[in-house]
Amino acid sequence: MRLIVTRAVKVALLVSVGLGIAAYFTTGLERVFLDAYLVAIGGVLLLALVRTTRAKAPADRSSPFDLALERMGRRTPDSGELALVRDLDLSTLSAFHLHIRVRPLLREIAAHRLRARYGVDLDAEPGRARELVGASAWELVRPERPPPEDRLAEGPSVSHLAVVATELEEI
């Protein structure tokens, strides 16, 4: 703490001498120099107080915010299953969410099952794929399905999505 006070006194003396010399060699700027002197001395005192406070503060400087931030960083990422449940819930509220987030997953499932069990490519052989996929599931996985015209339209119900899942399991 003694070092902080010594430095503050040295800087205050340096500012005083510098502004004193400048005031001696100029005329008509006494008020400006006085204002500059008071601001400089106030800054030196404030810096000395901050440094003294920091030196006297306890070693543990973690605030509740820092502790919460640290706990957030240690959290394990959510599993894919929770993300899928969230996407299915959101797809019932928004047809656009269904088209953008859930439809690619359903298409991937259908394409894999068709390829593995029947040797049918969903995109290359849509006619044959349509015969093997149920009507409700086909409406969602068909290759030429356009995005919904009304992006804010309500999506299908949970029971309809359950029918689609059942049809995909039956492939």
Side-chain angles (χ1 to χ4, degrees):
M1 189 166 103
R2 193 172 288 218
L3 178 65
I4 296 170
V5 173
T6 306
R7 281 185 182 173
V9 169
K10 285 180 183 178
V11 172
L13 285 174
L14 183 65
V15 168
S16 298
V17 169
L19 283 174
I21 292 172
Y24 181 75
F25 287 111
T26 59
T27 58
L29 296 175
E30 293 84 14
R31 288 186 181 187
V32 173
F33 285 130
L34 179 62
D35 290 342
Y37 177 73
L38 292 176
V39 168
I41 295 299
V44 169
L45 288 175
L46 185 62
L47 182 61
L49 287 174
V50 168
R51 286 184 175 172
T52 304
T53 305
R54 186 180 298 161
K56 297 282 185 175
D60 183 26
R61 296 183 188 152
S62 57
S63 67
F65 176 77
D66 291 335
L67 294 174
L69 189 61
E70 183 181 328
R71 276 182 283 179
M72 285 177 59
R74 281 190 259 144
R75 186 184 295 173
T76 59
D78 293 336
S79 69
E81 184 177 319
L82 292 177
L84 178 61
V85 169
R86 184 187 69 237
D87 280 339
L88 288 173
D89 285 341
L90 290 174
S91 69
T92 61
L93 301 173
S94 167
F96 187 70
H97 188 84
L98 173 76
H99 185 80
I100 294 298
R101 298 289 300 211
V102 177
R103 181 176 177 266
L105 180 62
L106 296 176
R107 279 185 50 80
E108 186 179 328
I109 293 169
H112 175 72
R113 287 184 171 257
L114 287 170
R115 193 177 325 107
R117 295 194 177 157
Y118 301 104
V120 174
D121 187 349
L122 180 64
D123 293 323
E125 304 172 75
R128 178 76 176 121
R130 183 177 183 158
E131 295 172 3
L132 298 169
V133 178
S136 296
W138 178 253
E139 180 56 35
L140 286 176
V141 300
R142 64 188 170 101
E144 70 278 353
R145 183 177 196 262
E149 290 180 19
D150 182 10
R151 290 182 170 208
L152 301 176
E154 196 170 301
S157 65
V158 174
S159 59
H160 180 74
L161 291 175
V163 169
V164 169
T166 303
E167 289 178 355
L168 288 176
E169 287 176 354
E170 292 174 356
I171 297 177

